[in-house]
């Protein structure tokens, strides 16, 4: 399973790369706004900076919601760098645009996915990545992880090539369960990934090893 960092923060992306676990990056309009990035040229330049420092794919989201707008905006985003993937919302014109992008060789990430039916439509349209929002489903008391399992089963049975990119992943437990349930990729803040480091027995064990070593060498 690949690890993408879900952020528009250059510092966080650099930290993930330095840690050695950044296979790609996903962004969305809320994450761009959080970094204070606004205005067409600033947005394009920011994506350019991210695409330059990341080896893997970088999802850049359109804000248009009509077919022509999505296509025009998506082409501009795809032109930024070869590792830019156009992120398109799961709406009627979004699916139509994903089909079009597939035909002209532009890679896509279908976002805001909350049901298996939506997952099938995105795969039929040829989406490169599918982003089911785990945490936001959990927020409504449904089970985000069972959606990942259901989509993974459907995609395997149907031999769909679309990769399942578990999104809205909020903690280390989500990451482990996404791996267990067949996600190809998780995208989350670096803090969720670092959360997987922690176990008190590791700390206790390391303290004892170091203390024993010190005793034996003093
Ligand atoms: O990748 C989508 C993600 O950014 C949404 O996460 O935590 O806002 O639900 P969240």
């Amino acid at each position: 399973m690949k690890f993408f960092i879900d952020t528009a923060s250059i510092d966080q992306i650099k930290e993930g790369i330095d840690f050695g676990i950044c296979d790609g990056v996903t962004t969305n309009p809320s994450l761009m706004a959080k970094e204070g990035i606004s205005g067409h040229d600033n947005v394009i330049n920011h994506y350019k900076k991210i695409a330059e420092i990341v080896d893997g794919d970088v999802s850049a989201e359109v804000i248009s919601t009509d077919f022509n707008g999505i296509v025009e905006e998506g082409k501009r985003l795809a032109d930024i760098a070869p590792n830019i993937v156009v992120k398109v919302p799961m709406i009627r014109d979004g699916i139509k645009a994903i089909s079009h992008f597939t035909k002209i060789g532009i890679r896509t990430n279908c976002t805001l996915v909350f049901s298996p039916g939506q997952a099938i439509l995105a795969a039929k349209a040829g989406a490169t990545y599918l982003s089911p929002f785990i945490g936001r489903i959990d927020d409504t008391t449904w089970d985000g992880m069972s959606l990942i399992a259901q989509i993974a089963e459907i995609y395997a049975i149907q031999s769909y090539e679309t990769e399942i990119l578990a999104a809205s992943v909020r903690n280390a437990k989500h990451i482990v369960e996404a791996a267990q349930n067949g996600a190809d990729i998780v995208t989350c803040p670096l803090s969720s990934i670092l959360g997987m480091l922690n176990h008190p027995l590791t700390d206790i064990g390391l303290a004892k090893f170091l203390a024993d070593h010190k005793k034996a060498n003093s």
Side-chain angles (χ1 to χ4, degrees), residues 6 26 28 31 87 133 136 167-168 170 187:
D6 196 29
T26 52
N28 62 39
L31 293 171
K87 203 169 177 189
F133 276 35
R136 292 191 195 185
S168 185
R170 309 253 179 86
T187 189

Side-chain angles (χ1 to χ4, degrees), residues 6-119:
D6 196 29
T7 186
S9 156
I10 301 281
D11 285 347
Q12 195 181 140
I13 293 166
K14 283 185 175 161
E15 201 185 332
I17 293 169
D18 184 57
F19 186 49
I21 46 72
C22 178
D23 298 311
V25 164
T26 52
T27 63
N28 62 39
S30 303
L31 293 171
M32 292 291 274
K34 193 173 160 195
E35 296 307 310
I37 313 296
S38 62
H40 175 267
D41 290 354
N42 291 335
V43 167
I44 297 286
N45 283 337
H46 197 72
Y47 280 136
K48 200 176 284 175
K49 268 190 222 157
I50 297 176
E52 270 167 16
I53 60 172
V54 176
D55 275 341
D57 286 342
V58 175
S59 289
E61 186 159 344
V62 298
I63 46 151
S64 304
T65 54
D66 65 291
F67 175 76
N68 289 330
I70 295 171
V71 168
E72 192 187 316
E73 205 186 330
K75 281 179 177 168
R76 275 204 305 271
L77 292 170
D79 275 348
I80 295 173
N83 57 337
I84 291 280
V85 172
V86 180
K87 203 169 177 189
V88 180
M90 163 47 76
I91 53 176
R92 185 174 176 147
D93 278 25
I95 288 296
K96 193 173 159 187
I98 289 172
S99 275
H100 178 74
F101 286 136
T102 304
K103 283 186 196 108
I104 61 173
I106 289 179
R107 295 178 308 131
T108 53
N109 175 354
C110 183
T111 188
L112 289 166
V113 170
F114 295 91
S115 80
Q118 292 178 326

